[in-house]
Structure formats: structure tokens, C-alpha cells
Amino acid sequence: MKHLPNPLRRHLAALRALAVLTVLLGLIYPLAATGLAQVLFHDNANGSAVLAGGRDVGSSLIGQSFTDAAGLPVRKYFQSRPSAAGDGYDPTSTSASNLGPEDVIDVPPAGGEKGRQSLLTQVCARSRAAGELEGVSGARPYCTPDGVGAVLKVFPGRAVSVNQPCPATPFVAAYQGVRVECARPGEDYAAGRTVPVRGNAPTPPAVPADAVTASGSGLDPHISPAYADLQAPRVAKERGLPLDRVRALIEQHTTGRILGFMGEPSVNVLELNLALDEG
């Protein structure tokens, strides 16, 4: 080795370092970490799987839908909060919608494109649907009765309910003495002044916020106790159970704040539904 040229010695040293680090960091370390995880944190390392009837039915860390083949809520089950991860609760596509409070105007279909609902309209539509499911008012500030964002585009002498395409009837007949029109497909309203209209919806709304907004990850398996309590009468009726029994199960599956002060109490939807199925 002493007689090898310096460039060759450096290359051989680099290859030896590569081999040692590959074995150390690419083989020994992963095996050690995996082994320790299996011994010390077996359930967590295997996805926090939830078993029912001897088979995996989900994860305590990842939400899921409780809907039928048509995508409609199964009425005997508590419903999860919405998800923006892929087609819903997809761990390979975890994300939020990345839409903010200023996103209040829908993008209509055009040129073969499907269009897009604004965040406001998504919230309005979810609130209306949840209200109908639970038998309460789904009314919400800045939402129309038909479940879209109550937003006007105002021009001199003209006002348009921009999220209500014709032939819809605008949610208000007039704005500052000007008759409100429905939105004509294909017409550009970008130059108008954007005016969200609060309306007279109750505060707070009957439908909680977590029933109409997705979590940051899109995978949240929990709902708030308020949303669980809203659903309790429906679930009790569908299952023929006393309401007090269903509310007791909600209490049993409610997790308090972390360390007593971080976060908010939450209810694991999958575990609650499994407890109902077990009777």
C-alpha cells in the first residue's frame, strides 16, 4: 500500500469508509432501531392498529370515514371530521387544503376544468349537511341557506351573488339599494369589490367547527366532545339505545388535555364506534 499512488490510496480509503458506514448506518443501526421499537413500543411501531374480531379495522392514530358505498354517512355511527388528505385520510397524501380565510369565491368550471369550491363554500356545505343529518340548524355566518359562501361582487350600480350561478335565486334581493343578480357562467367578476355578508346566523353555530373544517394533517382520528354530543341523539335513536348510555361511552373515550393544559379534550371516533358495536 505504501507504494500505491496518492490518488489511488485516497480512493481506497474512501471505499473503506463507504463500506463501514453502509454496514453501520444502513444495516446495524436500522436493525437495532427496529428491534428496540418492537420491544419497547410494539403497538406504536406497528401503526397503533385497532383490532376487532381478530382483524385490523384501523389505526388509533389515523381517521377514517364511516360512510356507505354512495359516500353517505352511516347513521348508526359517529362521523369523523372532514379530511383533505387525498380522497380522505390517506397517509400517503397527508396534507391540509392550504386554503385560508380569504378564500371566499368559488372558481366555476371552465374550459373542461372542474372548477373549485372556496374554503368558505366548503365550510357552508359541510355545515348544512351536518345540520340536516343531526336535525339542527346548519346556518353559519357568511353562508347562504343553500350552502355556499354568501359573497357579493359589487360594481357601480350592480351587485352579483358570485357563488350562486344562474338560475339560482340570490340569498339577498338587494344590496345598498341595488338589485342583486345571480352569477352568469363565464362572466368575469374579478374587478368587483368583494363583500362577504354575515347574515343573521346564530353565534356560536349549532354545528361545531371540527365538523366543517379538516385538520392540518387530514388524518386526525378525533372529534371534539361538542361534535360527539351533537351526534349522540342520532346514534342512540338508530341503535335503539338510551341517550345516557351513548353519552357515557363518549365520556369513556374522551381524552383530556396533554399534561392537563396542552390542547383540547378529544374523542377517538373509531374506538367509540367499536365500543358501540360491542354493545
Side-chain angles (χ1 to χ4, degrees):
M1 294 289 292
K2 292 182 180 181
H3 302 291
L4 292 175
N6 284 336
L8 183 57
R9 286 206 303 272
R10 287 196 295 270
H11 280 81
L12 289 174
L15 289 173
R16 287 197 300 270
L18 175 63
V20 170
L21 291 174
T22 298
V23 173
L24 181 63
L25 301 179
L27 185 63
I28 296 176
Y29 173 74
L31 288 175
T34 301
L36 285 173
Q38 290 294 326
V39 172
L40 300 178
F41 309 103
H42 179 76
D43 290 339
N44 301 66
N46 288 286
S48 300
V50 177
L51 300 176
R55 63 187 182 89
D56 292 345
V57 294
S59 169
S60 63
L61 301 179
I62 299 177
Q64 59 181 272
S65 297
F66 294 90
T67 54
D68 61 19
L72 300 174
V74 178
R75 295 183 61 87
K76 71 175 184 176
Y77 287 121
F78 283 87
Q79 298 299 304
S80 305
R81 72 181 300 178
S83 170
D87 292 330
Y89 315 102
D90 182 358
T92 66
S93 186
T94 174
S95 69
S97 65
N98 292 324
L99 303 178
E102 299 299 316
D103 189 65
V104 298
I105 298 176
D106 300 347
V107 178
E113 298 292 328
K114 293 194 308 181
R116 181 183 65 79
Q117 287 185 330
S118 63
L119 177 61
L120 178 58
T121 287
Q122 291 179 40
V123 167
C124 295
R126 290 165 180 167
S127 190
R128 182 177 183 231
E132 291 176 350
L133 180 64
E134 310 305 343
V136 299
S137 171
R140 211 170 195 87
Y142 304 105
C143 293
T144 69
D146 55 350
V148 299
V151 181
L152 302 178
K153 276 292 190 176
V154 178
F155 304 84
R158 188 184 182 201
V160 179
S161 179
V162 72
N163 291 335
Q164 292 183 297
C166 296
T169 300
F171 66 97
V172 289
Y175 175 76
Q176 295 184 348
V178 177
R179 184 177 68 86
V180 175
E181 310 167 13
C182 56
R184 295 184 177 88
E187 190 165 343
D188 186 2
Y189 299 108
R193 178 167 58 94
T194 302
V195 181
V197 179
R198 189 189 187 286
N200 58 359
T203 303
V207 178
D210 59 310
V212 300
T213 56
S215 65
S217 67
L219 305 180
D220 191 351
H222 302 96
I223 57 176
S224 67
Y227 187 26
D229 190 63
L230 176 67
Q231 300 184 65
R234 166 180 52 84
V235 173
K237 179 180 179 181
E238 291 293 321
R239 291 178 176 267
L241 295 174
L243 182 56
D244 288 347
R245 168 63 178 154
V246 174
R247 284 180 169 153
L249 285 173
I250 293 174
E251 182 66 27
Q252 291 172 21
H253 291 84
T254 298
T255 303
R257 292 179 172 87
I258 300 171
L259 300 178
F261 68 94
M262 291 192 295
E264 296 292 334
S266 59
V267 182
N268 190 290
V269 182
L270 173 60
E271 294 176 356
L272 175 58
N273 283 334
L274 288 175
L276 286 164
D277 283 346
E278 291 169 1

